Amino acid sequence: MPSSTSSSEPRALHGVWLAAVVIAVLALLALDRHWRAYGMPAGLIDSKQLWSIQRDRVYGDDPRPVVFIGASRSAYGIDPKQWRSLLPRTKPVMLSLNGRHPIAMLRDLAADEDFRGLVICDVDTHGMLRRWWEMQQEYVDYHRLRWTPNWRVHRLLLNAWQRASVLANPALGWKAGLQRWFEGGTPYIPVTRINSGRGGEILFGQFDAAASARAFDEGAEQKMREPRPAVADYLADARQIQAWVKAIQHRGGDVVFFQPPVSGRVAALEREYFDRAAYWNVFAAMDGIHALHADDVPAMRALPLPDHSHVRGEDRAMLTTLLVQELQRRGWIDASQPVAPLR
């Protein structure tokens, strides 16, 4: 006959485990509250996995995929939800990557025999130079070689975790914590936010936008001190880009190159350093090329740019609407349902 002592041991052990779980949960809640008070927001953190979920969406014909590729000016300036509300028969897909010019992604879509959508390529003359072509290749390779259904499930679960708790931010992980312990410093507080469709915005109210503008201006000045690329070399590279555009068009797709608005010395990089007549305009005149410069749309030029390079979050819908209107006016996208101006 079992003793009363032995029968009580499992119950005691269960009580210990329950207490440990409760303590752990309370500790995590307290830590989460601490970092929120510090200013760390909960929200999605961009990654190759989140990008790859969108890369999977570029296929189909109805609705027609509209794929945005580029760097931060489209990543944080174009509003995919606004685009879809204006053109409901399309499927906007955001593949732009902060700090990375998009030519590798254009090349990848040109090589993808199953892609027949419209590409909106956010790039300026400087970003078209061959030296920058490989900037997004790391993401292209990840999607081709490492992306699996298991990683998709992992990322979808991570989305829920990141929305629920600031502790899902890698900046608060144990590795980052140890690094801060030895090297000093504080966790980086994000000044951008994105949603699961990778539509994003810059939170200008959370940092010194004037200092950021000075940094962008200094970066532009530094680029303008470099030797100007020879026009012949630029046009040779442009003809290769044209060949990729032709490949997409041959399958029934199309490409629009778009220079979003900039100001300050950032604008001087295009207006003074590169002779537009010799570079951008010659590219725009090539057979099959559709190229839109924000300087040619007065309402785009009038948009406030706190850091000289990006629109405010509240102006993303306006920039997106102006882009749709101009593309319709030029006959580069369906104009059967003209878009009315925003008020």
Side-chain angles (χ1 to χ4, degrees):
M1 178 177 179
S3 69
S4 59
T5 302
S6 61
S7 63
S8 65
E9 287 177 354
R11 289 196 297 271
L13 187 58
H14 291 161
V16 170
W17 278 109
L18 179 60
V21 169
V22 170
I23 292 172
V25 170
L26 291 175
L28 289 174
L29 289 174
L31 193 57
D32 182 274
R33 184 173 180 178
H34 163 77
W35 285 119
R36 287 177 189 266
Y38 179 82
M40 185 70 71
L44 299 187
I45 308 297
D46 204 8
S47 68
K48 293 185 181 71
Q49 294 82 24
L50 193 65
W51 182 90
S52 292
I53 290 175
Q54 293 305 303
R55 177 62 178 83
D56 286 345
R57 299 180 61 244
V58 305
Y59 304 108
D61 298 301
D62 188 18
R64 189 188 193 194
V66 178
V67 182
F68 296 94
I69 65 174
S72 57
R73 291 171 193 159
S74 52
Y76 301 129
I78 298 298
D79 185 345
K81 291 183 179 179
Q82 176 70 1
W83 180 283
R84 182 63 187 273
S85 72
L86 298 173
L87 300 172
R89 287 179 288 186
T90 66
K91 176 177 62 175
V93 180
M94 179 56 72
L95 293 182
S96 296
L97 289 164
N98 181 25
R100 297 172 184 255
H101 293 302
I103 301 304
M105 190 64 237
L106 177 66
R107 180 177 60 200
D108 181 57
L109 291 171
D112 189 338
E113 293 292 337
D114 295 322
F115 174 71
R116 297 182 297 276
L118 171 66
V119 179
I120 308 291
C121 182
D122 148 33
V123 70
D124 56 16
T125 304
H126 187 261
M128 291 174 59
L129 301 180
R130 184 179 288 267
R131 74 182 80 155
W132 309 122
W133 281 9
E134 304 305 318
M135 292 186 80
Q136 293 190 7
Q137 189 61 40
E138 177 183 353
Y139 281 70
V140 171
D141 290 342
Y142 176 85
H143 183 263
R144 285 180 179 175
L145 304 174
R146 298 179 57 191
W147 180 239
T148 65
N150 288 342
W151 276 115
R152 180 185 180 88
V153 172
H154 165 83
R155 180 63 230 202
L156 293 174
L157 293 173
L158 183 60
N159 285 356
W161 173 227
Q162 288 183 344
R163 291 190 185 100
S165 175
V166 299
L167 301 180
N169 189 325
L172 302 180
W174 67 269
K175 288 184 179 180
L178 282 177
Q179 185 173 5
R180 287 194 300 274
W181 177 270
F182 288 108
E183 300 178 4
T186 58
Y188 170 73
I189 305 295
V191 295
T192 62
R193 63 184 171 204
I194 62 168
N195 57 37
S196 59
R198 297 190 69 257
E201 64 179 304
I202 296 176
L203 307 174
F204 283 107
Q206 295 189 10
F207 64 98
D208 186 347
S212 182
R214 289 192 295 272
F216 276 116
D217 284 348
E218 290 168 4
E221 291 285 1
Q222 182 176 353
K223 291 172 183 175
M224 287 189 283
R225 287 193 289 269
E226 299 173 357
R228 184 181 291 106
V231 172
D233 293 340
Y234 169 79
L235 294 180
D237 293 346
R239 282 189 285 273
Q240 175 59 72
I241 292 172
Q242 179 192 31
W244 291 325
V245 171
K246 292 282 191 179
I248 292 172
Q249 292 173 335
H250 181 73
R251 297 194 298 267
D254 209 346
V255 180
V256 172
F257 295 89
F258 172 48
Q259 283 207 44
V262 293
S263 61
R265 298 306 292 165
V266 180
L269 181 64
E270 286 292 318
R271 296 172 186 163
E272 299 175 17
Y273 178 73
F274 289 106
D275 179 356
R276 181 174 169 181
Y279 291 86
W280 179 264
N281 287 0
V282 175
F283 171 67
M286 289 181 172
D287 181 51
I289 297 299
H290 305 314
L292 170 62
H293 200 300
D295 279 359
D296 298 332
V297 185
M300 286 188 185
R301 290 190 64 174
L303 289 172
L305 305 170
D307 65 353
H308 295 175
S309 193
H310 303 91
V311 298
R312 304 175 302 180
E314 58 265 36
D315 291 326
R316 293 182 306 133
M318 175 61 78
L319 177 60
T320 304
T321 301
L322 292 171
L323 176 59
V324 170
Q325 290 171 337
E326 187 63 20
L327 296 182
Q328 287 186 331
R329 189 186 72 80
R330 295 179 181 226
W332 294 347
I333 61 173
D334 180 21
S336 60
Q337 293 183 310
V339 171
L342 281 180
R343 301 193 179 194

